[in-house]
Each structure stands twice: as C-alpha cells, then as structure tokens.
Amino acid sequence: MIDVVALGEVMLRLDPGEGRIRTTRTFQVWEGGGEYNVVRGLRRCFGRRTAIVTALADNAVGRLVEDLILQGGVDPSLIRWAADDGIGRTARNGLNFVERGYGIRGALGVSDRAHTAVSRLREGDVDWDTVFAAGVRWFHTGGIFAGLSDTTVGVADEAMAAARRHGVTVSYDPNYRPSLWAGRGGADAARAADLRLARHADVVVGALGLSGARPGDVRVRADEVPDALAEAADRAPAASVLATTLREVPSAGVNDWSSAAWSPDTGFVVGPRMPGLHVLDRIGSGDGFAAGLIHGLLDGDTPWPAEPLTAVRLERALAYGTAHGALTMTTPGDVSMATLGEVEALMAGGSAAVRR
C-alpha cells in the first residue's frame, strides 16, 4: 500500500555549483519538481511509501530522470511514458537550470519546460479510481503542475475530486510561478486555478499564496500572518489545516526561518523559529516543509484525520516541517538529504557539533 501519491512534473535540474549558469562549463545533475520533492522527502527522510504520477518522454534523458527517481525510493510505476520523436517536437522532458546565489546575489532559476510530456496530460488520461482504490492515504499536488498548460488544471481537479471520493486526504500548495502564467492570464488566471483546486483540499501548504487580491500581490508581515491565514481559509472552505513557511532573507546565505498554521480546531499555531539560518541551497525548502508537515499529521498510532486535530499535534507537525525544510537548505539540489534522526535532533534543539 502506498501512503502518499503526488501529481506533478519531475525535471532534470542542472546545477553549476558555486558558479553561474552563463559561465559554467560543468553541471551537477539532480532531479526535482515542486510536487515530486514532497514525496521524495517523505520517502527518504520519513520512510513513507510514496509514488509520483507524472509523464516523461521515453528517451535517454527521461530514463535518467527515472533512474534518479528510483534512487530516491519513489515508486515510478505510475509514470506515463510518451513516445520520443527524436527532437522533442511532440513531447520532451523539462530542464531546470538553477544557481544558488550568494550574499547579495539571489538564487536564479532558468526553466526550459514548455511542451513537456507531463504538460500534455489531459482529463481521462489517468485512471484515478484505480490509483486511489489501492489504499492510498494522502494525495498531494500544487499550482506548479496546474500552471504547466491549459489542460493540467483540469487534470489536477479530476485527481483531487477522485481522491476525495475515495476518502483520501488531499493537500494543495498554490506555489505561484509567474513564468508559468506569463501570456496565459498571469496572476489572475493563477488565482482562478487556485480557487478551483483549493476547494478540494483538506490541507493547504503555502497558504499565504491564497491571501491578497492576486498571488504575489502582497508581502505579509509577521504580525499580519493570522489575518492572512484567516483570509486564505475563506478561499478554501473545506480545508482543515492551512500552513505556511515564514522567511526573511537578509542575504542569499542567511535566512530567518519559521512557520505557522491555522485550523478551525486549534486556531492560530506557530512553529519553531530559526533565525540566522545558514543556507547552502534554498530551492526545495518549502517542499521539505510540506513533507515534514504531512509526516507529522500522519504520525502516531491514530493519525489525523482519524482523530480530531489538537494544537499539540499541529505544533509537532509544524516542527517536523520547519526542521526538515531547514535541513533541506543545508545540502545542494532540490531534494532532501536529511535523516529522520537529524530532523528530530534539530526539533529537540540539537546543534551543528561534530558527531563521531
């Protein structure tokens, strides 16, 4: 039985390390993708059985992505393979060039992901009733997948509705990317997609993405977070948990890192504060937070939502998410390299002292 299934794109990330994309002569290769990173973290750090629903062009690059997925322990059996025409005319695999930034120079991502195999998915392509009838406990997707094409919003809607029919807990992360919506309605179209999909969600991660008139419209100050989450709750009326990371960025290498959540059962709850966190690579930290949060909500002899949500459980889930997201920022690549022991030691106030 699979614990958590995600729907999203998995790209090949090309990383110039400490250099710049435009001047490097070598790249380190990773896999990554907003929704995939969550199930990868749940598998490798938290030991959850996970799978990814995606599509790849069946060529050497697609098989490299598959190999990386296999190394991450995520079940690849739900990947849909698109025939390769030799040059990517009808379907291709996405590439994401990312430099980490340093000091006053922020991180930079250059995506090459138009017309990918996964962006061609349409409603009816996946038999969701079969996917969820196998005993899946949780389904996760987000605004990155929804923004890939004019058809992917419908695929996400179809999947989330099917998950709810089967009693599967559903999470959604708005995860607004302006580049995905440029020329396709911009922030207004992204907000419409979020409102369409968030109505299915039991849990909204990155919930501040639902606040303000449009995605990315406002910068929420720390004292405004409770009201912003309440505003987001009005836009996702079925959601039982709305959670968010909180980040201040004095420089690319030092971030102040925390989290917060709201639920009708507990009210507003804050996560641990980690000021002055030293960052190697911040890409994927929000996905790391989501993985830890989901693990925390599923953890225990009687996991939520089988029993009512308490403030203690939500605080612990936030602590898992905050610690896992923080550790994700200490290693290169999108995906987590943290262990459960490291996460729980950090939750308990552990230090960076050498372990021998």
Side-chain angles (χ1 to χ4, degrees):
M1 184 178 72
I2 293 173
D3 292 317
V4 185
V5 170
L7 168 66
E9 181 167 40
V10 188
M11 295 188 293
L12 198 63
R13 172 174 165 176
L14 293 103
D15 181 351
E18 296 177 353
R20 303 296 305 271
I21 294 167
R22 64 186 187 181
T23 57
T24 191
R25 297 298 180 268
T26 59
F27 288 97
Q28 175 73 49
V29 173
W30 315 95
E31 86 280 26
E35 297 84 8
Y36 165 79
N37 295 340
V38 176
V39 289
R40 209 274 194 183
L42 279 162
R43 177 67 189 94
R44 294 298 286 172
C45 180
F46 298 105
R48 302 282 176 184
R49 293 158 297 184
T50 64
I52 182 70
V53 178
T54 192
L56 295 168
D58 193 357
N59 57 28
V61 175
R63 293 298 173 176
L64 172 57
V65 175
E66 179 195 34
D67 190 63
L68 292 165
I69 292 170
L70 286 165
Q71 291 178 52
V74 176
D75 185 340
S77 63
L78 299 176
I79 295 174
R80 294 176 58 86
W81 290 97
D84 177 42
D85 63 16
I87 62 170
R89 182 182 295 107
T90 57
R92 55 186 294 270
N93 299 301
L95 305 177
N96 192 24
F97 299 81
V98 180
E99 57 185 52
R100 303 171 198 166
Y102 183 82
I104 60 172
R105 175 172 59 84
L108 172 67
V110 181
S111 296
D112 181 15
R113 67 193 308 179
H115 313 298
T116 55
V118 71
S119 73
R120 305 263 177 165
L121 285 181
R122 297 178 177 274
E123 293 176 61
D125 283 349
V126 179
D127 183 350
W128 293 109
D129 289 323
T130 298
V131 171
F132 295 126
V136 175
R137 301 171 66 186
W138 195 294
F139 176 71
H140 178 75
T141 192
I144 294 179
F145 174 78
L148 292 178
S149 72
D150 293 336
T151 63
T152 48
V153 176
V155 176
D157 194 321
E158 174 187 56
M160 295 170 82
R164 291 189 69 89
R165 284 198 309 272
H166 286 267
V168 176
T169 302
V170 176
S171 56
Y172 179 75
D173 185 345
N175 230 345
Y176 175 57
R177 296 288 186 271
S179 59
L180 292 177
W181 295 95
R184 297 177 47 242
D188 291 329
R191 173 53 56 83
D194 285 337
L195 295 180
R196 176 180 174 182
L197 299 177
R199 66 192 171 97
H200 298 299
D202 299 292
V203 177
V204 178
V205 187
L208 291 183
L210 295 181
S211 65
R214 302 157 74 227
D217 204 31
V218 294
R219 180 170 177 76
V220 179
R221 299 194 307 268
D223 62 335
E224 298 172 329
V225 173
D227 289 341
L229 288 179
E231 180 185 3
D234 289 339
R235 293 172 174 165
S240 299
V241 176
L242 292 98
T244 187
T245 59
L246 301 172
R247 185 198 305 265
E248 296 293 332
V249 187
S251 75
V254 178
N255 289 186
D256 297 333
W257 175 251
S258 185
S259 62
W262 177 91
S263 83
D265 294 329
T266 67
F268 182 67
V269 174
V270 296
R273 294 183 64 252
M274 297 184 183
L277 183 70
H278 287 264
V279 175
L280 176 66
D281 185 341
R282 64 172 280 178
I283 306 300
S285 54
D287 307 322
F289 168 77
L293 180 83
I294 292 169
H295 170 74
L297 292 173
L298 286 174
D299 197 31
D301 294 333
T302 310
W304 180 82
E307 65 178 14
L309 184 63
T310 64
V312 171
R313 181 185 285 274
L314 186 53
E315 287 171 1
R316 186 163 175 79
L318 284 175
Y320 270 116
T322 306
H324 187 233
L327 288 167
T328 300
M329 287 187 274
T330 67
T331 53
D334 287 30
V335 297
S336 166
M337 299 182 188
T339 67
L340 180 57
E342 289 170 338
V343 169
E344 292 184 337
L346 185 56
M347 290 167 61
S351 74
V354 177
R355 293 189 297 277
R356 299 185 190 275

